[in-house]
Amino acid sequence: MSPSAIGAAKLRRMNRMFGTDGRALFVAIDHAAYMGAGPPLGEPMHEIAAGRPDGVLATWHLAREYAAEFAQAGLVLRVDGGSSELGDMPADDLNDLLYGAEHAARIGADCVVVLAFPGAPDEHLSLKRLARLCAECEVLGLPVMAEMIPGGWGRAVPWTTESVARAARIGVELGADIIKTVCPGPAEEFAAVVAQCPAPVVALGGPKMKTEDEAVALAEGVVRAGAAGVAFGRNVWGSEKPRQMVERLRAAVHGGTA
């Protein structure tokens, strides 16, 4: 594929996820691949789709099973994994790439997502995975979303604004087209992360917040700080009214114009 064709392919796929304002609301529904539970199946999926998210972060099963429901949303396929929460959470990075770029393209993905843990004791494992995946996806013009968690979930590196910003930059330097990462403190601090990252940055939602108003306020805050949007999971599918929650978050991200 020629460089111009690669660029055109990435442009089209990025535009499937991001609006004309350069922002996107992603709903993460990929948790069950390691939790064995999480996003409820059936009607809640229909409700999430009815809220019209810009994109969904999905497992292989959900991408296939709910293809019709999410046909109008960008598909971000989770391609890494290999460990679960059924036993004790391993301290070491035991994950690997489960699917490749061609697999993702065949199921209709507009993007792939993979975790990386700069600053963790075994950071080389996830960073090499990320780089390998970026090189593979580049050939197909398939964007990569890197979920950059400084120090890993065990926080071997404190989640300060500086460490989050450095982790985001590392992800881009290894080839990622979109960065998904934690908000290191008050929403306005996300501005420092965005300023140091030459790619769109979206904030993850993490555990379910006390109120839905709190989740919406975070989305509004990080967007004001320059974020390209948010990727929220439990704060959407954990809602009693997921459709309305998606609609509220869409308004928060797009300023009520989407």
Side-chain angles (χ1 to χ4, degrees):
M1 184 181 291
S2 69
S4 59
I6 291 171
K10 277 199 175 184
L11 177 63
R12 289 189 175 93
R13 286 171 173 139
M14 291 289 279
N15 284 347
R16 280 263 299 153
M17 299 178 286
F18 290 89
T20 56
D21 58 3
R23 300 174 190 161
L25 164 63
F26 295 97
V27 175
I29 52 175
D30 55 341
H31 303 68
Y34 64 93
M35 291 171 58
L41 302 175
E43 186 58 28
M45 288 295 168
H46 295 272
E47 287 288 301
I48 292 170
R52 297 188 301 119
D54 297 298
V56 290
L57 277 63
T59 61
W60 187 275
H61 167 69
L62 294 180
R64 181 176 55 189
E65 187 69 16
Y66 293 95
E69 287 80 357
F70 291 112
Q72 301 305 311
L75 170 60
V76 184
L77 183 70
R78 171 65 67 181
V79 295
D80 60 343
S83 62
S84 78
E85 292 185 350
L86 266 68
D88 294 333
M89 285 293 287
D92 299 327
D93 180 0
L94 302 179
N95 289 343
D96 203 347
L97 292 178
L98 305 181
Y99 313 105
E102 288 195 5
H103 297 115
R106 287 181 182 180
I107 205 169
D110 298 291
C111 183
V112 295
V113 59
V114 63
L115 281 156
F117 307 117
D122 50 5
E123 64 178 4
H124 61 287
L125 298 175
S126 62
L127 295 179
K128 286 180 178 180
R129 278 199 302 271
L130 172 59
R132 190 165 71 245
L133 180 65
C134 289
E136 189 179 335
C137 288
E138 189 73 18
V139 178
L140 297 180
L142 185 64
V144 175
M145 177 186 287
E147 189 168 355
M148 305 302 292
I149 310 298
W153 300 117
R155 302 199 188 193
V157 172
W159 288 357
T160 62
T161 301
E162 180 186 2
S163 65
V164 173
R166 291 175 67 183
R169 178 67 182 271
I170 289 169
V172 175
E173 296 297 339
L174 293 180
D177 303 282
I178 307 166
I179 298 297
K180 175 189 175 190
T181 194
V182 298
C183 184
E188 57 267 23
E189 292 188 18
F190 213 67
V193 179
V194 174
Q196 296 186 52
C197 186
V201 186
V202 299
L204 61 83
K208 194 172 187 303
M209 299 176 199
K210 292 181 180 178
T211 67
E212 295 186 356
D213 288 346
E214 185 180 350
V216 172
L218 176 61
E220 292 173 336
V222 295
V223 167
R224 278 197 305 270
V230 297
F232 283 5
R234 279 162 280 205
N235 288 289
V236 174
W237 51 258
S239 169
E240 293 183 1
K241 297 180 178 180
R243 175 176 179 168
Q244 288 88 331
M245 188 58 180
V246 173
E247 291 171 343
R248 291 187 68 190
L249 289 170
R250 286 185 75 248
V253 167
H254 295 287
T257 62

